[in-house]
Every structure is written in structure tokens, then in C-alpha cells.
Amino acid sequence: MDKSEKTALSLSGILLVVFFGAIMYASIAKNIDVPTCITDMDPFVSDTLFETGSDSYELHMVARMWAFQPSTVRLPVGSTVDLYVTSQDIIHGFKIDRKNVNLMAVPGAINYVRVTFDEPGEYLYACHEFCGAAHHTMAGRFIIEDRNDLTDAGGPL
Ligand code: CUA
């Protein structure tokens, strides 16, 4: 074996020990852990959409391979939505068509935006980060309609 190969091999071994030591130090001495799976908890499991006031709502959206939960959200015209987005598995994106909303859906973290729907119609939302084989199918929609039509359809969501 050449001397330079021996040196490279030795350096690699030393770096492996240093990196492993750094991980153990972070884990044991600094108590740093992987993120908890917040998608297992409320309000991301049930009651994902609820009314917080007159025409204001809170919506908790979960992204996963390859769908959003909920996939369809019905709301009255003029609704303001506090939107909380997270991911169950890997990094996804969340973009609402015709709205200034563009978030990342990150496992173990919650991203927030407030959005108001002043015009009736359908607002598609889609994943904008390539997340695997069915990334192109990962989409949903807000259906914004008159309050009377909404009541006929059985209320929000
Ligand atoms: Cu999720 Cu692309």
C-alpha cells in the first residue's frame, strides 16, 4: 500500500471517530434528540379545522407521501385562516395558487401563515418540493363559496 493511501485511510478513520464522538456528545451531554412526531398529536389528528371567531378559522395541515390531510377544505367567502403546516415523513412544500403562500412542510416543525380568501372559487394547493415518485399527485383545494351554499353542503371542511 502506498504511503499516501495509508495516510488517507488513517485520516478517514480518525474523522469517523471524531464524528461519532460529536454525535454521542450531542446526544448524551447536550441532550439533543430527533424531533418528536407531532403529526401523532391533536390538532393534527382530529379537529384539524375549527372556527376561532366570526369568519376566522384555524387549520392544521399534514403533508405526507403523497397527499395533504385534509385534501379539500370548504370555507365561506371572507374567511381568514391561520394555517399550520407540518410533515409526517419527509420535507414537502405547500403553495396555494393565486395566494402569496409558500411554505415548507418539515417533519418535527410547524410552519405558519395567515391567509384571507376574499373571492369565491377554487384555490388549489400543491407540494412544490420534489418528494418522490408521486410528487405530481400531491395536491388539494380550498373551495371558497357563499355561506348559504356552504350550509347546504354541511358546513366548513
Ligand atoms: Cu410532497 Cu412533492
Short mmCIF file of all heavy atoms in Angstrom, two decimals, residues 92 127 129-131 135 138, ligand 1:
data_model
loop_
_atom_site.label_atom_id
_atom_site.label_comp_id
_atom_site.label_asym_id
_atom_site.label_seq_id
_atom_site.Cartn_x
_atom_site.Cartn_y
_atom_site.Cartn_z
N HIS A 92 -41.74 18.38 2.46
CA HIS A 92 -42.64 18.70 1.35
C HIS A 92 -42.75 20.22 1.25
O HIS A 92 -42.24 20.95 2.10
CB HIS A 92 -44.04 18.11 1.58
CG HIS A 92 -44.08 16.63 1.68
ND1 HIS A 92 -44.16 15.80 0.59
CD2 HIS A 92 -44.04 15.81 2.77
CE1 HIS A 92 -44.18 14.54 0.99
NE2 HIS A 92 -44.10 14.51 2.30
N CYS A 127 -47.82 20.49 -3.49
CA CYS A 127 -46.45 20.32 -2.99
C CYS A 127 -45.49 20.85 -4.06
O CYS A 127 -45.63 20.52 -5.23
CB CYS A 127 -46.18 18.85 -2.72
SG CYS A 127 -44.49 18.52 -2.20
N GLU A 129 -42.00 20.78 -3.57
CA GLU A 129 -40.67 20.19 -3.39
C GLU A 129 -40.71 18.78 -3.93
O GLU A 129 -41.60 18.01 -3.54
CB GLU A 129 -40.30 20.14 -1.90
CG GLU A 129 -39.97 21.47 -1.28
CD GLU A 129 -38.67 22.03 -1.79
OE1 GLU A 129 -37.69 21.27 -1.90
OE2 GLU A 129 -38.63 23.23 -2.10
N PHE A 130 -39.77 18.43 -4.79
CA PHE A 130 -39.80 17.06 -5.32
C PHE A 130 -39.62 16.07 -4.16
O PHE A 130 -38.61 16.12 -3.46
CB PHE A 130 -38.72 16.84 -6.37
CG PHE A 130 -38.78 15.45 -6.93
CD1 PHE A 130 -39.82 15.07 -7.76
CD2 PHE A 130 -37.82 14.51 -6.58
CE1 PHE A 130 -39.90 13.78 -8.24
CE2 PHE A 130 -37.89 13.22 -7.05
CZ PHE A 130 -38.93 12.85 -7.89
N CYS A 131 -40.63 15.21 -3.96
CA CYS A 131 -40.63 14.35 -2.77
C CYS A 131 -40.81 12.88 -3.14
O CYS A 131 -41.17 12.07 -2.30
CB CYS A 131 -41.71 14.80 -1.80
SG CYS A 131 -43.36 14.88 -2.52
N HIS A 135 -44.93 12.68 -6.43
CA HIS A 135 -44.91 14.11 -6.07
C HIS A 135 -45.97 14.90 -6.87
O HIS A 135 -46.66 15.75 -6.31
CB HIS A 135 -43.52 14.67 -6.33
CG HIS A 135 -43.45 16.14 -6.53
ND1 HIS A 135 -43.62 17.04 -5.50
CD2 HIS A 135 -43.28 16.88 -7.66
CE1 HIS A 135 -43.53 18.27 -5.99
NE2 HIS A 135 -43.33 18.20 -7.28
N MET A 138 -49.55 15.22 -5.49
CA MET A 138 -49.74 15.74 -4.14
C MET A 138 -50.36 17.14 -4.19
O MET A 138 -49.66 18.13 -4.35
CB MET A 138 -48.38 15.78 -3.44
CG MET A 138 -48.49 15.79 -1.95
SD MET A 138 -46.90 15.58 -1.18
CE MET A 138 -47.30 16.27 0.42
CU1 CUA B 1 -44.63 16.28 -1.43
CU2 CUA B 1 -43.68 16.87 -3.51
#
